[in-house]
PDB file of all heavy atoms in Angstrom:
ATOM      1  N   ARG A 176      15.529  27.085  -9.189  1.00  0.00           N
ATOM      2  CA  ARG A 176      14.288  27.762  -9.860  1.00  0.00           C
ATOM      3  C   ARG A 176      13.000  27.605  -9.095  1.00  0.00           C
ATOM      4  O   ARG A 176      11.933  27.551  -9.519  1.00  0.00           O
ATOM      5  CB  ARG A 176      14.136  26.974 -11.338  1.00  0.00           C
ATOM      6  CG  ARG A 176      15.252  27.352 -12.271  1.00  0.00           C
ATOM      7  CD  ARG A 176      15.098  26.662 -13.624  1.00  0.00           C
ATOM      8  NE  ARG A 176      13.968  27.017 -14.245  1.00  0.00           N
ATOM      9  CZ  ARG A 176      13.060  26.276 -14.824  1.00  0.00           C
ATOM     10  NH1 ARG A 176      13.278  24.944 -14.768  1.00  0.00           N
ATOM     11  NH2 ARG A 176      11.983  26.782 -15.486  1.00  0.00           N
ATOM     12  N   PHE A 177      13.190  27.611  -7.688  1.00  0.00           N
ATOM     13  CA  PHE A 177      11.972  27.590  -6.793  1.00  0.00           C
ATOM     14  C   PHE A 177      11.791  29.074  -6.521  1.00  0.00           C
ATOM     15  O   PHE A 177      12.606  29.723  -5.923  1.00  0.00           O
ATOM     16  CB  PHE A 177      12.231  26.769  -5.648  1.00  0.00           C
ATOM     17  CG  PHE A 177      10.963  26.628  -4.762  1.00  0.00           C
ATOM     18  CD1 PHE A 177      10.094  25.694  -4.948  1.00  0.00           C
ATOM     19  CD2 PHE A 177      10.853  27.622  -3.803  1.00  0.00           C
ATOM     20  CE1 PHE A 177       8.874  25.561  -4.178  1.00  0.00           C
ATOM     21  CE2 PHE A 177       9.577  27.391  -2.904  1.00  0.00           C
ATOM     22  CZ  PHE A 177       8.733  26.394  -3.145  1.00  0.00           C
ATOM     23  N   ASN A 178      10.552  29.652  -6.788  1.00  0.00           N
ATOM     24  CA  ASN A 178      10.306  31.019  -6.487  1.00  0.00           C
ATOM     25  C   ASN A 178       9.690  31.099  -5.105  1.00  0.00           C
ATOM     26  O   ASN A 178       8.789  30.307  -4.827  1.00  0.00           O
ATOM     27  CB  ASN A 178       9.382  31.678  -7.630  1.00  0.00           C
ATOM     28  CG  ASN A 178      10.136  31.722  -8.874  1.00  0.00           C
ATOM     29  OD1 ASN A 178      11.194  32.279  -8.916  1.00  0.00           O
ATOM     30  ND2 ASN A 178       9.400  31.476  -9.862  1.00  0.00           N
ATOM     31  N   TYR A 179      10.046  32.171  -4.389  1.00  0.00           N
ATOM     32  CA  TYR A 179       9.390  32.378  -3.148  1.00  0.00           C
ATOM     33  C   TYR A 179       9.520  33.801  -2.671  1.00  0.00           C
ATOM     34  O   TYR A 179      10.421  34.467  -2.902  1.00  0.00           O
ATOM     35  CB  TYR A 179      10.324  31.509  -2.011  1.00  0.00           C
ATOM     36  CG  TYR A 179      10.073  31.813  -0.694  1.00  0.00           C
ATOM     37  CD1 TYR A 179       8.751  31.336  -0.109  1.00  0.00           C
ATOM     38  CD2 TYR A 179      10.771  32.624   0.191  1.00  0.00           C
ATOM     39  CE1 TYR A 179       8.344  31.742   1.231  1.00  0.00           C
ATOM     40  CE2 TYR A 179      10.474  32.966   1.450  1.00  0.00           C
ATOM     41  CZ  TYR A 179       9.272  32.414   2.048  1.00  0.00           C
ATOM     42  OH  TYR A 179       8.954  32.745   3.301  1.00  0.00           O
ATOM     43  N   LYS A 285       4.033  33.655  -1.063  1.00  0.00           N
ATOM     44  CA  LYS A 285       3.818  33.036  -2.371  1.00  0.00           C
ATOM     45  C   LYS A 285       4.971  32.230  -2.806  1.00  0.00           C
ATOM     46  O   LYS A 285       6.107  32.543  -2.449  1.00  0.00           O
ATOM     47  CB  LYS A 285       3.580  34.060  -3.539  1.00  0.00           C
ATOM     48  CG  LYS A 285       2.354  34.984  -3.205  1.00  0.00           C
ATOM     49  CD  LYS A 285       2.223  36.065  -4.410  1.00  0.00           C
ATOM     50  CE  LYS A 285       0.888  36.981  -4.131  1.00  0.00           C
ATOM     51  NZ  LYS A 285       0.946  38.045  -4.978  1.00  0.00           N
ATOM     52  N   CYS A 286       4.753  31.127  -3.508  1.00  0.00           N
ATOM     53  CA  CYS A 286       5.939  30.296  -3.945  1.00  0.00           C
ATOM     54  C   CYS A 286       5.464  29.549  -5.133  1.00  0.00           C
ATOM     55  O   CYS A 286       4.283  29.420  -5.518  1.00  0.00           O
ATOM     56  CB  CYS A 286       6.351  29.434  -2.785  1.00  0.00           C
ATOM     57  SG  CYS A 286       5.235  28.123  -2.423  1.00  0.00           S
ATOM     58  N   GLU A 287       6.346  28.940  -5.846  1.00  0.00           N
ATOM     59  CA  GLU A 287       6.188  28.211  -7.104  1.00  0.00           C
ATOM     60  C   GLU A 287       7.359  27.348  -7.431  1.00  0.00           C
ATOM     61  O   GLU A 287       8.563  27.831  -7.367  1.00  0.00           O
ATOM     62  CB  GLU A 287       5.862  29.142  -8.211  1.00  0.00           C
ATOM     63  CG  GLU A 287       5.394  28.375  -9.458  1.00  0.00           C
ATOM     64  CD  GLU A 287       5.036  29.351 -10.523  1.00  0.00           C
ATOM     65  OE1 GLU A 287       5.469  30.494 -10.502  1.00  0.00           O
ATOM     66  OE2 GLU A 287       4.370  28.972 -11.524  1.00  0.00           O
ATOM     67  N   PRO A 288       7.278  26.157  -7.791  1.00  0.00           N
ATOM     68  CA  PRO A 288       6.083  25.341  -7.912  1.00  0.00           C
ATOM     69  C   PRO A 288       5.697  24.717  -6.522  1.00  0.00           C
ATOM     70  O   PRO A 288       6.526  24.675  -5.648  1.00  0.00           O
ATOM     71  CB  PRO A 288       6.515  24.191  -8.914  1.00  0.00           C
ATOM     72  CG  PRO A 288       8.003  24.012  -8.671  1.00  0.00           C
ATOM     73  CD  PRO A 288       8.448  25.395  -8.408  1.00  0.00           C
ATOM     74  N   TRP A 289       4.399  24.190  -6.526  1.00  0.00           N
ATOM     75  CA  TRP A 289       3.905  23.746  -5.297  1.00  0.00           C
ATOM     76  C   TRP A 289       4.339  22.263  -5.071  1.00  0.00           C
ATOM     77  O   TRP A 289       3.931  21.656  -4.110  1.00  0.00           O
ATOM     78  CB  TRP A 289       2.366  23.937  -5.183  1.00  0.00           C
ATOM     79  CG  TRP A 289       1.981  25.390  -5.042  1.00  0.00           C
ATOM     80  CD1 TRP A 289       2.707  26.565  -5.110  1.00  0.00           C
ATOM     81  CD2 TRP A 289       0.706  25.847  -4.734  1.00  0.00           C
ATOM     82  NE1 TRP A 289       2.053  27.608  -4.930  1.00  0.00           N
ATOM     83  CE2 TRP A 289       0.756  27.237  -4.649  1.00  0.00           C
ATOM     84  CE3 TRP A 289      -0.590  25.191  -4.624  1.00  0.00           C
ATOM     85  CZ2 TRP A 289      -0.478  28.093  -4.424  1.00  0.00           C
ATOM     86  CZ3 TRP A 289      -1.749  25.925  -4.318  1.00  0.00           C
ATOM     87  CH2 TRP A 289      -1.702  27.403  -4.243  1.00  0.00           C
ATOM     88  N   ASN A 290       4.817  21.646  -6.194  1.00  0.00           N
ATOM     89  CA  ASN A 290       5.081  20.256  -6.059  1.00  0.00           C
ATOM     90  C   ASN A 290       6.569  20.039  -6.397  1.00  0.00           C
ATOM     91  O   ASN A 290       7.290  20.953  -7.064  1.00  0.00           O
ATOM     92  CB  ASN A 290       4.341  19.384  -7.094  1.00  0.00           C
ATOM     93  CG  ASN A 290       4.689  19.736  -8.544  1.00  0.00           C
ATOM     94  OD1 ASN A 290       4.801  20.811  -9.002  1.00  0.00           O
ATOM     95  ND2 ASN A 290       4.958  18.521  -9.308  1.00  0.00           N
ATOM     96  N   SER A 302       1.838  26.774   1.009  1.00  0.00           N
ATOM     97  CA  SER A 302       2.104  27.207  -0.348  1.00  0.00           C
ATOM     98  C   SER A 302       1.486  28.638  -0.579  1.00  0.00           C
ATOM     99  O   SER A 302       1.891  29.360  -1.450  1.00  0.00           O
ATOM    100  CB  SER A 302       1.612  26.313  -1.354  1.00  0.00           C
ATOM    101  OG  SER A 302       0.208  25.791  -1.025  1.00  0.00           O
ATOM    102  N   ASP A 343      -0.293  23.439 -10.988  1.00  0.00           N
ATOM    103  CA  ASP A 343      -0.495  24.577 -11.958  1.00  0.00           C
ATOM    104  C   ASP A 343      -1.900  25.172 -11.902  1.00  0.00           C
ATOM    105  O   ASP A 343      -2.043  26.343 -12.102  1.00  0.00           O
ATOM    106  CB  ASP A 343      -0.288  23.856 -13.399  1.00  0.00           C
ATOM    107  CG  ASP A 343       1.121  23.533 -13.686  1.00  0.00           C
ATOM    108  OD1 ASP A 343       1.937  23.998 -12.902  1.00  0.00           O
ATOM    109  OD2 ASP A 343       1.397  22.792 -14.590  1.00  0.00           O
ATOM    110  N   LYS A 346      -2.093  27.447  -8.224  1.00  0.00           N
ATOM    111  CA  LYS A 346      -1.084  28.483  -8.045  1.00  0.00           C
ATOM    112  C   LYS A 346      -1.743  29.969  -8.350  1.00  0.00           C
ATOM    113  O   LYS A 346      -1.589  30.821  -7.542  1.00  0.00           O
ATOM    114  CB  LYS A 346       0.216  28.258  -8.771  1.00  0.00           C
ATOM    115  CG  LYS A 346       1.146  29.423  -8.985  1.00  0.00           C
ATOM    116  CD  LYS A 346       1.727  29.978  -7.764  1.00  0.00           C
ATOM    117  CE  LYS A 346       2.588  31.057  -8.134  1.00  0.00           C
ATOM    118  NZ  LYS A 346       2.932  31.882  -6.921  1.00  0.00           N
ATOM    119  N   ASP A 350      -2.436  32.917  -5.695  1.00  0.00           N
ATOM    120  CA  ASP A 350      -1.956  34.389  -5.828  1.00  0.00           C
ATOM    121  C   ASP A 350      -3.153  35.331  -5.813  1.00  0.00           C
ATOM    122  O   ASP A 350      -3.070  36.446  -5.285  1.00  0.00           O
ATOM    123  CB  ASP A 350      -1.179  34.425  -7.255  1.00  0.00           C
ATOM    124  CG  ASP A 350       0.039  33.897  -7.077  1.00  0.00           C
ATOM    125  OD1 ASP A 350       0.443  33.334  -6.106  1.00  0.00           O
ATOM    126  OD2 ASP A 350       0.769  33.753  -8.275  1.00  0.00           O
TER     127      ASP A 350
END
Side-chain angles (χ1 to χ4, degrees):
R176 296 177 60 228
F177 188 88
N178 290 319
Y179 170 71
K285 293 180 179 175
C286 68
E287 186 178 23
W289 291 7
N290 71 308
S302 47
D343 288 352
K346 161 73 180 160
D350 286 352

